[in-house]
PDB file of all heavy atoms in Angstrom:
ATOM      1  N   VAL J 484      13.660 -14.566  11.795  1.00 98.00           N
ATOM      2  CA  VAL J 484      12.402 -14.951  11.160  1.00 98.00           C
ATOM      3  C   VAL J 484      11.314 -14.046  11.725  1.00 98.00           C
ATOM      4  O   VAL J 484      11.015 -14.092  12.925  1.00 98.00           O
ATOM      5  CB  VAL J 484      12.065 -16.428  11.417  1.00 98.00           C
ATOM      6  CG1 VAL J 484      10.730 -16.786  10.762  1.00 98.00           C
ATOM      7  CG2 VAL J 484      13.177 -17.327  10.883  1.00 98.00           C
ATOM      8  N   VAL J 486       7.519 -12.974  12.008  1.00 97.00           N
ATOM      9  CA  VAL J 486       6.204 -13.608  11.845  1.00 97.00           C
ATOM     10  C   VAL J 486       5.122 -12.632  12.311  1.00 97.00           C
ATOM     11  O   VAL J 486       4.928 -12.437  13.523  1.00 97.00           O
ATOM     12  CB  VAL J 486       6.101 -14.911  12.662  1.00 97.00           C
ATOM     13  CG1 VAL J 486       4.770 -15.612  12.371  1.00 97.00           C
ATOM     14  CG2 VAL J 486       7.269 -15.838  12.372  1.00 97.00           C
ATOM     15  N   THR J 488       1.421 -11.746  13.245  1.00 94.00           N
ATOM     16  CA  THR J 488       0.319 -12.608  13.671  1.00 94.00           C
ATOM     17  C   THR J 488      -0.927 -11.803  14.000  1.00 94.00           C
ATOM     18  O   THR J 488      -0.852 -10.686  14.522  1.00 94.00           O
ATOM     19  CB  THR J 488       0.706 -13.440  14.907  1.00 94.00           C
ATOM     20  OG1 THR J 488       1.241 -12.566  15.918  1.00 94.00           O
ATOM     21  CG2 THR J 488       1.734 -14.491  14.568  1.00 94.00           C
ATOM     22  N   ASP J 493      -3.141 -20.740  18.338  1.00 94.00           N
ATOM     23  CA  ASP J 493      -3.054 -22.198  18.226  1.00 94.00           C
ATOM     24  C   ASP J 493      -1.911 -22.662  17.325  1.00 94.00           C
ATOM     25  O   ASP J 493      -1.586 -23.855  17.318  1.00 94.00           O
ATOM     26  CB  ASP J 493      -4.370 -22.767  17.704  1.00 94.00           C
ATOM     27  CG  ASP J 493      -5.517 -22.574  18.691  1.00 94.00           C
ATOM     28  OD1 ASP J 493      -5.236 -22.430  19.894  1.00 94.00           O
ATOM     29  OD2 ASP J 493      -6.681 -22.550  18.248  1.00 94.00           O
ATOM     30  N   ASN J 494      -1.306 -21.740  16.568  1.00 94.00           N
ATOM     31  CA  ASN J 494      -0.243 -22.120  15.637  1.00 94.00           C
ATOM     32  C   ASN J 494       1.159 -21.889  16.196  1.00 94.00           C
ATOM     33  O   ASN J 494       2.141 -22.361  15.616  1.00 94.00           O
ATOM     34  CB  ASN J 494      -0.373 -21.337  14.325  1.00 94.00           C
ATOM     35  CG  ASN J 494      -1.670 -21.631  13.594  1.00 94.00           C
ATOM     36  OD1 ASN J 494      -2.155 -22.752  13.611  1.00 94.00           O
ATOM     37  ND2 ASN J 494      -2.225 -20.610  12.942  1.00 94.00           N
ATOM     38  N   VAL J 495       1.266 -21.146  17.291  1.00 96.00           N
ATOM     39  CA  VAL J 495       2.575 -20.673  17.746  1.00 96.00           C
ATOM     40  C   VAL J 495       3.524 -21.816  18.076  1.00 96.00           C
ATOM     41  O   VAL J 495       4.679 -21.846  17.624  1.00 96.00           O
ATOM     42  CB  VAL J 495       2.421 -19.721  18.948  1.00 96.00           C
ATOM     43  CG1 VAL J 495       3.786 -19.407  19.560  1.00 96.00           C
ATOM     44  CG2 VAL J 495       1.720 -18.435  18.525  1.00 96.00           C
ATOM     45  N   ALA J 496       3.075 -22.773  18.882  1.00 96.00           N
ATOM     46  CA  ALA J 496       3.973 -23.841  19.350  1.00 96.00           C
ATOM     47  C   ALA J 496       4.523 -24.651  18.187  1.00 96.00           C
ATOM     48  O   ALA J 496       5.744 -24.917  18.112  1.00 96.00           O
ATOM     49  CB  ALA J 496       3.238 -24.749  20.337  1.00 96.00           C
ATOM     50  N   GLU J 497       3.661 -25.050  17.246  1.00 96.00           N
ATOM     51  CA  GLU J 497       4.138 -25.845  16.108  1.00 96.00           C
ATOM     52  C   GLU J 497       5.047 -25.024  15.215  1.00 96.00           C
ATOM     53  O   GLU J 497       6.071 -25.532  14.720  1.00 96.00           O
ATOM     54  CB  GLU J 497       2.958 -26.387  15.305  1.00 96.00           C
ATOM     55  CG  GLU J 497       3.396 -27.252  14.129  1.00 96.00           C
ATOM     56  CD  GLU J 497       2.242 -27.813  13.326  1.00 96.00           C
ATOM     57  OE1 GLU J 497       1.084 -27.711  13.782  1.00 96.00           O
ATOM     58  OE2 GLU J 497       2.507 -28.359  12.222  1.00 96.00           O
ATOM     59  N   LEU J 498       4.704 -23.767  14.990  1.00 97.00           N
ATOM     60  CA  LEU J 498       5.538 -22.930  14.126  1.00 97.00           C
ATOM     61  C   LEU J 498       6.932 -22.778  14.718  1.00 97.00           C
ATOM     62  O   LEU J 498       7.940 -22.885  14.004  1.00 97.00           O
ATOM     63  CB  LEU J 498       4.873 -21.568  13.937  1.00 97.00           C
ATOM     64  CG  LEU J 498       5.531 -20.619  12.925  1.00 97.00           C
ATOM     65  CD1 LEU J 498       4.482 -19.751  12.251  1.00 97.00           C
ATOM     66  CD2 LEU J 498       6.574 -19.725  13.584  1.00 97.00           C
ATOM     67  N   VAL J 499       7.016 -22.533  16.028  1.00 97.00           N
ATOM     68  CA  VAL J 499       8.324 -22.365  16.668  1.00 97.00           C
ATOM     69  C   VAL J 499       9.121 -23.665  16.601  1.00 97.00           C
ATOM     70  O   VAL J 499      10.323 -23.660  16.278  1.00 97.00           O
ATOM     71  CB  VAL J 499       8.163 -21.900  18.131  1.00 97.00           C
ATOM     72  CG1 VAL J 499       9.491 -21.997  18.884  1.00 97.00           C
ATOM     73  CG2 VAL J 499       7.634 -20.463  18.170  1.00 97.00           C
ATOM     74  N   ALA J 500       8.473 -24.787  16.887  1.00 97.00           N
ATOM     75  CA  ALA J 500       9.179 -26.071  16.875  1.00 97.00           C
ATOM     76  C   ALA J 500       9.718 -26.395  15.490  1.00 97.00           C
ATOM     77  O   ALA J 500      10.888 -26.801  15.337  1.00 97.00           O
ATOM     78  CB  ALA J 500       8.239 -27.178  17.351  1.00 97.00           C
ATOM     79  N   ARG J 501       8.907 -26.214  14.467  1.00 97.00           N
ATOM     80  CA  ARG J 501       9.342 -26.544  13.109  1.00 97.00           C
ATOM     81  C   ARG J 501      10.416 -25.571  12.622  1.00 97.00           C
ATOM     82  O   ARG J 501      11.373 -25.969  11.941  1.00 97.00           O
ATOM     83  CB  ARG J 501       8.137 -26.537  12.160  1.00 97.00           C
ATOM     84  CG  ARG J 501       7.191 -27.705  12.377  1.00 97.00           C
ATOM     85  CD  ARG J 501       5.921 -27.564  11.552  1.00 97.00           C
ATOM     86  NE  ARG J 501       6.208 -27.479  10.118  1.00 97.00           N
ATOM     87  CZ  ARG J 501       5.265 -27.265   9.196  1.00 97.00           C
ATOM     88  NH1 ARG J 501       3.992 -27.087   9.567  1.00 97.00           N
ATOM     89  NH2 ARG J 501       5.592 -27.211   7.918  1.00 97.00           N
ATOM     90  N   THR J 502      10.275 -24.294  12.965  1.00 97.00           N
ATOM     91  CA  THR J 502      11.262 -23.308  12.537  1.00 97.00           C
ATOM     92  C   THR J 502      12.595 -23.545  13.228  1.00 97.00           C
ATOM     93  O   THR J 502      13.666 -23.476  12.604  1.00 97.00           O
ATOM     94  CB  THR J 502      10.753 -21.885  12.818  1.00 97.00           C
ATOM     95  OG1 THR J 502       9.492 -21.682  12.161  1.00 97.00           O
ATOM     96  CG2 THR J 502      11.735 -20.846  12.318  1.00 97.00           C
ATOM     97  N   ALA J 503      12.554 -23.818  14.519  1.00 97.00           N
ATOM     98  CA  ALA J 503      13.795 -24.089  15.257  1.00 97.00           C
ATOM     99  C   ALA J 503      14.490 -25.326  14.713  1.00 97.00           C
ATOM    100  O   ALA J 503      15.724 -25.363  14.591  1.00 97.00           O
ATOM    101  CB  ALA J 503      13.476 -24.265  16.743  1.00 97.00           C
ATOM    102  N   SER J 504      13.713 -26.335  14.357  1.00 96.00           N
ATOM    103  CA  SER J 504      14.299 -27.555  13.784  1.00 96.00           C
ATOM    104  C   SER J 504      14.936 -27.256  12.430  1.00 96.00           C
ATOM    105  O   SER J 504      16.043 -27.729  12.133  1.00 96.00           O
ATOM    106  CB  SER J 504      13.223 -28.627  13.639  1.00 96.00           C
ATOM    107  OG  SER J 504      13.751 -29.796  13.046  1.00 96.00           O
ATOM    108  N   ILE J 513      13.420 -15.963  16.307  1.00 98.00           N
ATOM    109  CA  ILE J 513      12.071 -15.791  15.771  1.00 98.00           C
ATOM    110  C   ILE J 513      11.466 -14.579  16.453  1.00 98.00           C
ATOM    111  O   ILE J 513      11.455 -14.481  17.686  1.00 98.00           O
ATOM    112  CB  ILE J 513      11.190 -17.028  16.016  1.00 98.00           C
ATOM    113  CG1 ILE J 513      11.844 -18.285  15.428  1.00 98.00           C
ATOM    114  CG2 ILE J 513       9.803 -16.824  15.414  1.00 98.00           C
ATOM    115  CD1 ILE J 513      11.091 -19.570  15.755  1.00 98.00           C
ATOM    116  N   PHE J 515       7.988 -12.470  16.662  1.00 98.00           N
ATOM    117  CA  PHE J 515       6.567 -12.315  16.380  1.00 98.00           C
ATOM    118  C   PHE J 515       6.185 -10.846  16.548  1.00 98.00           C
ATOM    119  O   PHE J 515       6.556 -10.209  17.540  1.00 98.00           O
ATOM    120  CB  PHE J 515       5.727 -13.152  17.342  1.00 98.00           C
ATOM    121  CG  PHE J 515       5.809 -14.644  17.117  1.00 98.00           C
ATOM    122  CD1 PHE J 515       6.811 -15.390  17.720  1.00 98.00           C
ATOM    123  CD2 PHE J 515       4.883 -15.282  16.304  1.00 98.00           C
ATOM    124  CE1 PHE J 515       6.890 -16.759  17.520  1.00 98.00           C
ATOM    125  CE2 PHE J 515       4.956 -16.658  16.099  1.00 98.00           C
ATOM    126  CZ  PHE J 515       5.956 -17.395  16.703  1.00 98.00           C
ATOM    127  N   MET J 569       7.428 -14.696   7.146  1.00 96.00           N
ATOM    128  CA  MET J 569       6.479 -15.775   6.884  1.00 96.00           C
ATOM    129  C   MET J 569       5.226 -15.568   7.716  1.00 96.00           C
ATOM    130  O   MET J 569       5.263 -14.930   8.773  1.00 96.00           O
ATOM    131  CB  MET J 569       7.103 -17.142   7.189  1.00 96.00           C
ATOM    132  CG  MET J 569       7.514 -17.341   8.634  1.00 96.00           C
ATOM    133  SD  MET J 569       8.390 -18.910   8.898  1.00 96.00           S
ATOM    134  CE  MET J 569       7.123 -20.080   8.446  1.00 96.00           C
ATOM    135  N   ASP J 570       4.097 -16.088   7.232  1.00 93.00           N
ATOM    136  CA  ASP J 570       2.841 -15.967   7.950  1.00 93.00           C
ATOM    137  C   ASP J 570       2.818 -16.897   9.152  1.00 93.00           C
ATOM    138  O   ASP J 570       3.579 -17.878   9.223  1.00 93.00           O
ATOM    139  CB  ASP J 570       1.670 -16.298   7.022  1.00 93.00           C
ATOM    140  CG  ASP J 570       1.451 -15.228   5.971  1.00 93.00           C
ATOM    141  OD1 ASP J 570       2.037 -14.139   6.098  1.00 93.00           O
ATOM    142  OD2 ASP J 570       0.688 -15.483   5.017  1.00 93.00           O
ATOM    143  N   GLY J 571       1.896 -16.620  10.060  1.00 92.00           N
ATOM    144  CA  GLY J 571       1.784 -17.423  11.260  1.00 92.00           C
ATOM    145  C   GLY J 571       0.745 -18.521  11.181  1.00 92.00           C
ATOM    146  O   GLY J 571       0.405 -19.120  12.202  1.00 92.00           O
ATOM    147  N   ASP J 572       0.227 -18.801   9.976  1.00 90.00           N
ATOM    148  CA  ASP J 572      -0.864 -19.772   9.848  1.00 90.00           C
ATOM    149  C   ASP J 572      -0.410 -21.150   9.390  1.00 90.00           C
ATOM    150  O   ASP J 572      -1.233 -22.015   9.088  1.00 90.00           O
ATOM    151  CB  ASP J 572      -1.928 -19.247   8.882  1.00 90.00           C
ATOM    152  CG  ASP J 572      -1.361 -18.885   7.518  1.00 90.00           C
ATOM    153  OD1 ASP J 572      -0.211 -19.291   7.220  1.00 90.00           O
ATOM    154  OD2 ASP J 572      -2.038 -18.188   6.751  1.00 90.00           O
ATOM    155  N   LEU J 573       0.912 -21.354   9.294  1.00 91.00           N
ATOM    156  CA  LEU J 573       1.526 -22.641   8.911  1.00 91.00           C
ATOM    157  C   LEU J 573       1.286 -23.021   7.457  1.00 91.00           C
ATOM    158  O   LEU J 573       1.555 -24.151   7.066  1.00 91.00           O
ATOM    159  CB  LEU J 573       1.036 -23.769   9.837  1.00 91.00           C
ATOM    160  CG  LEU J 573       1.421 -23.612  11.311  1.00 91.00           C
ATOM    161  CD1 LEU J 573       0.769 -24.689  12.154  1.00 91.00           C
ATOM    162  CD2 LEU J 573       2.938 -23.657  11.469  1.00 91.00           C
ATOM    163  N   HIS J 575       2.980 -21.499   5.176  1.00 94.00           N
ATOM    164  CA  HIS J 575       4.347 -21.373   4.677  1.00 94.00           C
ATOM    165  C   HIS J 575       5.224 -22.389   5.404  1.00 94.00           C
ATOM    166  O   HIS J 575       5.363 -22.303   6.625  1.00 94.00           O
ATOM    167  CB  HIS J 575       4.881 -19.954   4.912  1.00 94.00           C
ATOM    168  CG  HIS J 575       4.112 -18.903   4.184  1.00 94.00           C
ATOM    169  ND1 HIS J 575       4.024 -17.595   4.629  1.00 94.00           N
ATOM    170  CD2 HIS J 575       3.388 -18.954   3.045  1.00 94.00           C
ATOM    171  CE1 HIS J 575       3.288 -16.893   3.776  1.00 94.00           C
ATOM    172  NE2 HIS J 575       2.884 -17.704   2.818  1.00 94.00           N
ATOM    173  N   PRO J 577       8.208 -23.853   7.180  1.00 96.00           N
ATOM    174  CA  PRO J 577       9.507 -23.393   7.696  1.00 96.00           C
ATOM    175  C   PRO J 577      10.674 -24.219   7.172  1.00 96.00           C
ATOM    176  O   PRO J 577      11.806 -23.720   7.113  1.00 96.00           O
ATOM    177  CB  PRO J 577       9.360 -23.548   9.214  1.00 96.00           C
ATOM    178  CG  PRO J 577       7.893 -23.564   9.469  1.00 96.00           C
ATOM    179  CD  PRO J 577       7.279 -24.207   8.265  1.00 96.00           C
TER     180      PRO J 577
END
Side-chain angles (χ1 to χ4, degrees):
V484 179
V486 185
T488 51
D493 294 336
N494 297 324
V495 171
E497 181 179 349
L498 187 148
V499 168
R501 289 172 59 184
T502 303
S504 178
I513 304 174
F515 289 87
M569 62 186 298
D570 289 348
D572 55 15
L573 297 174
H575 297 153

